[in-house]
Amino acid sequence: MAMEWLRQIWHWLHQPFLTVAGVALSVAKIAQALLALVIVGLVTNALSRLALRYFQAREEISDYAAQLLARWVKVIAWVVGIFVVADLIGFRLSSFNIFAGAIGVGIGFGLQTVVNNFVCGLLLMVERTMRVGDVISVGGEMGRVLHIGARATLLETPRGAIIAIPNTQFIGSAVTNWTAAGKKTRVHLPIVTTAVDNPKRVEDALLQVARQHPQVLADPPPKVWLTKIGDTFAFELLVWTDDPMDGARQLQSDLHYAIHRTLTEQGIALKG
């Protein structure tokens, strides 16, 4: 009696009740698939943790990039695991041809920009041509990098605005990183005066103004170039500051005021 009862249960568990893509599904097959998915989940989590530890140990990869790469390792492992489970219960890759074709068309038309931005964001984080906190110029905008995301990078401009710039723009156009080699930035101030008998007087006056300003760094020291002589004399004052975004414009303004006052006091006229 007990054996008969067990045979009926066995028969019921293996009795197909639904056919999908030519595969007969039974309670036993679904249970096998669920168990296999649990194992896949455990394996993918373990692989993701291992990948995260590996990427975080690499100095050239930022913490955010390490987390993103580990996440994609997990996604790829899940995709492979799902195909393995599908094959286990009888589905063949040919059963997914139509579905895969539809996904391919969707990526080709609807998700092309998203995929491009994601790949470019991944390249930015792995290559580390710019980092969070760097001051950069791209597409006519200058700002401090706040966040490098999978789709876009956030910049804070000197005006206080937050701009989201698609990552493809950083790969396809020229980017100036003002702080790649450190926070120091050189500021150029062109000055044009009337003809003077001793250009050294102007140079000394400009250097005196520069050295008195607290935002001008002593190392590297400020310098002056004489770039033109004739009816007018053209000079260029070069100073270094460690605040390229917020302080550079204010520094230029302060120096312009001080230069005008100092040269006027010495009887040297400025020309436009």
Side-chain angles (χ1 to χ4, degrees), residues 73-123:
V73 168
K74 187 174 183 178
V75 169
I76 293 171
W78 262 112
V79 171
V80 173
I82 288 172
F83 275 106
V84 170
V85 172
D87 184 73
L88 178 68
I89 62 177
F91 287 105
R92 296 294 177 261
L93 292 180
S94 58
S95 305
F96 298 97
N97 282 345
I98 297 177
F99 176 74
I103 291 295
V105 171
I107 291 175
F109 288 98
L111 300 178
Q112 183 178 13
T113 302
V114 175
V115 172
N116 285 344
N117 281 319
F118 171 78
V119 172
C120 291
L122 200 58
L123 289 174

Side-chain angles (χ1 to χ4, degrees), residues 96-240:
F96 298 97
N97 282 345
I98 297 177
F99 176 74
I103 291 295
V105 171
I107 291 175
F109 288 98
L111 300 178
Q112 183 178 13
T113 302
V114 175
V115 172
N116 285 344
N117 281 319
F118 171 78
V119 172
C120 291
L122 200 58
L123 289 174
L124 288 174
M125 288 182 284
V126 172
E127 292 181 352
R128 305 191 79 179
T129 52
M130 65 182 189
R131 308 180 186 185
V132 173
D134 283 353
V135 177
I136 64 168
S137 297
V138 59
E141 293 289 347
M142 178 181 182
R144 180 174 285 110
V145 179
L146 296 180
H147 173 72
I148 303 174
R151 186 191 67 82
T153 294
L154 298 182
L155 293 187
E156 181 185 13
T157 70
R159 300 183 298 275
I162 306 297
I163 302 177
I165 299 180
N167 290 328
T168 51
Q169 196 163 337
F170 294 97
I171 302 299
S173 59
V175 179
T176 302
N177 191 329
W178 297 99
T179 55
K183 293 183 65 177
K184 295 179 181 178
T185 300
R186 193 168 69 179
V187 178
H188 292 231
L189 289 91
I191 306 294
V192 180
T193 70
T194 56
V196 291
D197 296 333
N198 184 9
K200 192 70 175 173
R201 285 179 57 211
V202 180
E203 178 183 349
D204 292 341
L206 296 178
L207 290 176
Q208 177 186 353
V209 168
R211 290 171 183 142
Q212 289 175 347
H213 197 287
Q215 281 186 274
V216 174
L217 300 178
D219 184 25
K223 63 175 63 175
V224 175
W225 291 341
L226 176 61
T227 59
K228 176 182 176 294
I229 59 175
D231 295 337
T232 59
F233 278 45
F235 301 84
E236 193 161 359
L237 174 62
L238 290 76
V239 299
W240 289 83

